[in-house]
Every structure is written in structure tokens, then in C-alpha cells.
Amino acid sequence: HSLKLDSNLIGQFNELLVGLIRCDNNPKAWQLTSLLYSAILLVVSSLRKSEGDLEPRFVCGLLPLIATTIDNHTHYSQLKMKHPPEMYAIHLVSEISSTLPDDEPIWLTTLREHSIIMMFIRISTGYLDSLSRPEIIEASLMTFLSLSKSKNSAELLQVNNISELLSISLSSVVNKLDTVSQDRITPVSGYGVTSLLKVSRPSPEWMRVWFTALKLVTRLLSTLGHHFINSALDFVGAHSERILQSLDIYIAT
């Protein structure tokens, strides 16, 4: 028998999630929170794939719980969970943003009320500063990418100073990675001569962070047009060396 998924199931999961989050002094409850978020993520993803209705009133009820999860994440960092609740929570916001109609007013209003974008930027900045958890940074950037496809939600990103994350915080981490990454030798052919190009490449996880940031800047420029030009120029200026290096690698291959 197939299980019919609908938004009511998300409402039931909400009630369970409230109970777990209230036990915020219990590491076991924190671990179960990851499982519950992953279950809700599965429901939302299934609804999107089956083109089912996702009712904003149910998913908006998740946002205060997500905000609490982000606030509490530092309490249990010593658990060193491979898939902590905050990562699933961030992925969930991304999936919901991709599933709801563009600029769904109730969703955007609730995002503002609970400062979700600011929280995601703050947690990403913290992990960039400590050069850790690139998968959570990438998840945040993917959420911003989902939101940047329409004007009102892209403006919400701009109001929350997404440019500072992309130009300053990300630039500093790229510079740090350049000092710790291993040099690799890439053969370059041209004008009948084969030479060697020495390039520095971070780990694949950090490369995904970088390329997701590039996609985000491109999407924001496309959505916001001239309102984002100065921020795009700041990004190019902050990452000019990395962009030129990427072009060199592209030309060489």
C-alpha cells in the first residue's frame, strides 16, 4: 500500500518537533531532531516531485522551530554529528522555497519575522571564520540560491547584506585555503609547446562552496539587475585572483 503524503503530515511532524526542541538540554533529543527534520524534508521533497499541494500555513509553522534549532546548534557542537539538525533545517528551508510559488507572501513574511536569512548568514560566517563544516555553508548558499530566483525574495537577501558574506567572509576563507591547499601540476598545450601550469586547488567540498557562491551572484544579478551591480563588482574585486585562476584552468583544458 502506498502512503499518500500531504501537508497535514507536516503539521503532525511539527508537533513532534516542538516536543524534541523543548528538551534542548538533552543530547539524545538533539540527535532525534536530525531524524525528524530529515523525515519532514522527505515529505516536502515528495510533494514537490508529485506536484502536490504544500500549504504555507504548515511549513511556516516550521520556521520558529528552525530558528530555535539554529540558535541551539553551538550547545551540541561537541557531539560532532556528521549530519547535525541545523544542516537538515537549512536544507528544509531550501526545499520549501523551491516548492512554494515564487514570492509566496506568507512564506516571505514569516522568513522576515524570524530573521531566518540573517541566521543562515551568521552561521555561515562563523563556519567560514573557523574554516569548518563546508557542507553547512554550501547548504546555506543553496537556500539563498533557491530564494534568489524571484524579485521579492532576492531583495530579502540583499536587505540582509548577503553581499558582505559573498565578498568579505568568503574572500578571506578562499585566501586561507590558498595557503593550505596542495599544489597540483596541470599540463598546458599551446602554440605547439607543452608547459606546466602550477595551480592551487582547495578540497572538493570547498570548491563546491566557491562555485555555489558564483551561481548565487550570477542569479542575483539576473534577478535584481542594476540594483545588484555594485555588489557584483565588489564580488569580482574581492575574488579577482580566484576568478582569473579559474579562467586559466578553463582555457588550459
Side-chain angles (χ1 to χ4, degrees):
H1 298 284
S2 61
L3 176 64
K4 185 178 184 300
L5 298 176
D6 59 26
S7 292
N8 289 306
L9 189 55
I10 296 175
Q12 294 170 26
F13 279 138
N14 272 8
E15 295 177 12
L16 291 172
L17 196 54
V18 168
L20 286 175
I21 289 176
R22 283 176 178 167
C23 301
D24 61 357
N25 60 344
N26 188 327
K28 294 275 187 188
W30 187 247
Q31 292 172 328
L32 287 173
T33 302
S34 281
L35 295 175
L36 197 49
Y37 270 126
S38 66
I40 299 171
L41 186 59
L42 177 63
V43 173
V44 174
S45 177
S46 299
L47 284 170
R48 180 173 61 82
K49 290 174 182 176
S50 63
E51 299 183 352
D53 292 328
L54 185 62
E55 294 185 35
R57 64 191 177 97
F58 286 119
V59 291
C60 287
L62 287 166
L63 289 179
L65 304 177
I66 289 171
T68 302
T69 300
I70 298 299
D71 276 341
N72 290 348
H73 84 277
T74 54
H75 298 173
Y76 299 107
S77 56
Q78 73 275 10
L79 294 178
K80 300 190 183 302
M81 297 172 63
K82 185 176 181 181
H83 302 297
E86 66 267 25
M87 187 173 74
Y88 284 113
I90 293 169
H91 277 301
L92 183 56
V93 173
S94 177
E95 189 70 25
I96 293 170
S97 298
S98 298
T99 305
L100 290 173
D102 290 350
D103 288 338
E104 167 61 50
I106 300 176
W107 177 243
L108 291 183
T109 298
T110 314
L111 283 172
R112 288 190 193 96
E113 287 176 352
H114 295 284
S115 304
I116 297 297
I117 304 304
M118 187 183 299
M119 285 185 166
F120 286 7
I121 289 176
R122 189 178 68 214
I123 194 174
S124 298
T125 301
Y127 283 131
L128 283 168
D129 289 345
S130 63
L131 209 64
S132 62
R133 304 313 295 251
E135 71 281 4
I136 293 180
I137 301 167
E138 185 187 6
S140 296
L141 291 174
M142 290 299 295
T143 301
F144 302 150
L145 194 61
S146 297
L147 289 166
S148 64
K149 63 185 178 181
S150 52
K151 186 174 182 293
N152 289 340
S153 50
E155 287 174 349
L156 182 60
L157 293 174
Q158 194 171 32
V159 166
N160 281 277
N161 209 5
I162 188 71
S163 301
E164 185 172 328
L165 174 71
L166 294 169
S167 297
I168 299 175
S169 300
L170 187 62
S171 176
S172 63
V173 79
V174 167
N175 291 336
K176 289 178 191 173
L177 288 166
D178 281 342
T179 64
V180 299
S181 57
Q182 294 182 344
D183 291 333
R184 300 182 184 182
I185 303 299
T186 303
V188 183
S189 298
Y191 303 103
V193 178
T194 299
S195 59
L196 295 177
L197 175 68
K198 195 175 185 180
V199 295
S200 180
R201 297 181 185 175
S203 67
E205 293 83 5
W206 287 106
M207 287 295 287
R208 285 197 296 272
V209 168
W210 161 246
F211 284 123
T212 306
L214 276 178
K215 290 178 185 177
L216 177 57
V217 171
T218 303
R219 177 78 64 79
L220 285 168
L221 187 58
S222 173
T223 303
L224 297 174
H226 67 278
H227 296 292
F228 194 72
I229 285 178
N230 288 338
S231 296
L233 290 174
D234 288 343
F235 179 84
V236 171
H239 296 278
S240 56
E241 186 175 344
R242 173 65 64 186
I243 292 171
L244 288 172
Q245 187 182 70
S246 299
L247 287 172
D248 285 341
I249 295 172
Y250 176 77
I251 293 169
T253 55

